[in-house]
Structures are given as structure tokens and as C-alpha cells.
Amino acid sequence: MFEARSIKFCKACGGEAPYSIPADDNRERAICKVCGTIHYENPLNVVGTVPAWNDKVLLCKRNIEPRYGFWTLPAGFMELGETTAEGALRETVEEAGARIELLGLYTVLNVVRVGQVHLFYRANLRDTDFAPGPETIETRLFREEEIPWDELAFRTVRETLLRYFADFRRGRFDVHCADIN
Ligand SMILES: [Zn+2]
């Protein structure tokens, strides 16, 4: 759950930074009582891929909390200095050790409750030699009927996979935007 009023101290000088509404603003920010720094907090981007091999999709079993032991598409927080596509590619290499050809943007999912936007790209696997990284217990290819729907780590993974297989069956992939409540 995204935590309101989570900042206690200034990131610049360590001074106390209670929440109040700055002049010419309309929402509360943590403002340093010592140096006046205003701390703006904004949603984080999570970027990932749907790596496909014919009618199968690659999933990773998580070796880390949260949701240890649950299955996910390769995804993670976007880093500074990279594009969304570069981040999605990096996460796929880090978590699955998979070689992919990145295709188009596929889902844009707002998760307002936790202050995140999740973006998944479609991708084609170049081969099936995977080398799971330290954050992954196991990587495996799943057909639609084999997907462990009750053991998926995140709602955005579920929503992306539901749309993916529906699009796969009808033979056309559109970009999907949705809000996850
Ligand atoms: Zn300060």
C-alpha cells in the first residue's frame, strides 16, 4: 500500500520535514523546516515484458519478497538514465537470463493505490536457453491452459496475461490501458 505522509526528515539536510501545502500548490508536501526543500512524491514506473515462444509465455518464479514463490512476468522498477523499453529489456535479462527481441508496448496499467504505473512490452524469445538471476527460483514456458492463475504474484501480471492470450487467440495485439483498483 502506498503510504501517505511517509517522509519524516529532509533528504538534503536531515532536518525535520512536516507535511503542509506550499504556496501556489494544492496538495501537502514534506517541507524542510531548516533548508526549505520541498519533497515532491510521484508515482513509480514498473517496466517488464511478455516474452513469447510460439504459443507459450515465459514466467519467473520469484526468489524475493514480496510474493516469494509466486510467478511473474519479468518486470521491475525503471532506473534513471534508461528508457521504458531499455528497462523492460534489462529486467528480462536480469530476472530470466533470456535473450529477446523487444516488440511493441502492450499494457499500461495504473495502480493508483500503490502509486505505480506498470508498462509491459511484447517480446519474442530468440532461444530457450534461460539463465535465471538471483531474484528468480525458476523460469518456465507456459501455454495458456498451463498458466498458474492462482499463483501469480501481481494483479498487473494477471491482467496482462489475460489480454495477451485473448489477443493471441484472435491473432491481433492492441495496446491496452486499464486501471487496477
Ligand atoms: Zn533540509
Side-chain angles (χ1 to χ4, degrees):
M1 183 65 135
F2 133 81
E3 210 183 324
R5 289 174 163 255
S6 60
I7 296 174
K8 303 272 184 273
F9 300 101
C10 177
K11 285 175 187 170
C13 77
E16 256 189 90
Y19 280 78
S20 65
I21 300 174
D24 302 325
D25 202 342
N26 52 21
R27 54 179 80 208
E28 291 194 323
R29 318 280 184 191
I31 305 174
C32 180
K33 284 164 102 170
V34 181
C35 74
T37 296
I38 302 172
H39 299 78
Y40 294 95
E41 297 165 86
N42 302 96
L44 294 171
N45 291 323
V46 170
V47 289
T49 60
V50 186
W53 181 258
N54 302 319
D55 60 344
K56 298 175 185 169
V57 163
L58 183 74
L59 297 181
C60 300
K61 194 172 199 177
R62 286 171 65 82
N63 194 30
I64 48 167
E65 295 292 350
R67 309 294 275 163
Y68 175 93
F70 285 76
W71 292 91
T72 184
L73 289 164
F77 288 108
M78 191 178 173
E79 299 285 359
L80 295 173
E82 69 184 7
T83 65
T84 51
E86 287 167 349
L89 184 66
R90 175 183 52 74
E91 289 290 345
T92 307
V93 171
E94 284 177 7
E95 295 189 359
R99 280 173 289 275
I100 57 168
E101 174 199 5
L102 205 62
L103 305 173
L105 179 64
Y106 187 56
T107 53
V108 178
L109 302 164
N110 290 293
V111 197
V112 174
R113 188 172 52 84
V114 292
Q116 296 177 1
V117 180
H118 293 205
L119 300 102
F120 287 90
Y121 285 78
R122 288 192 303 114
N124 280 333
L125 287 161
R126 294 184 189 278
D127 55 59
T128 55
D129 289 331
F130 313 127
E135 295 181 4
T136 304
I137 298 168
E138 179 190 353
T139 51
R140 235 186 85 187
L141 290 166
F142 292 88
R143 285 198 177 82
E144 182 177 15
E145 61 272 20
E146 299 167 337
I147 296 283
W149 294 104
D150 295 332
E151 296 166 46
L152 295 179
F154 306 109
R155 264 292 295 284
T156 54
V157 169
R158 178 186 176 81
E159 296 296 329
T160 297
L161 288 172
L162 284 170
R163 287 165 175 77
Y164 180 84
F165 285 110
D167 282 358
F168 182 82
R169 273 186 265 115
R170 69 179 184 148
R172 200 184 87 205
F173 293 97
D174 291 328
V175 175
H176 299 271
C177 299
D179 303 334
I180 308 295
N181 300 311

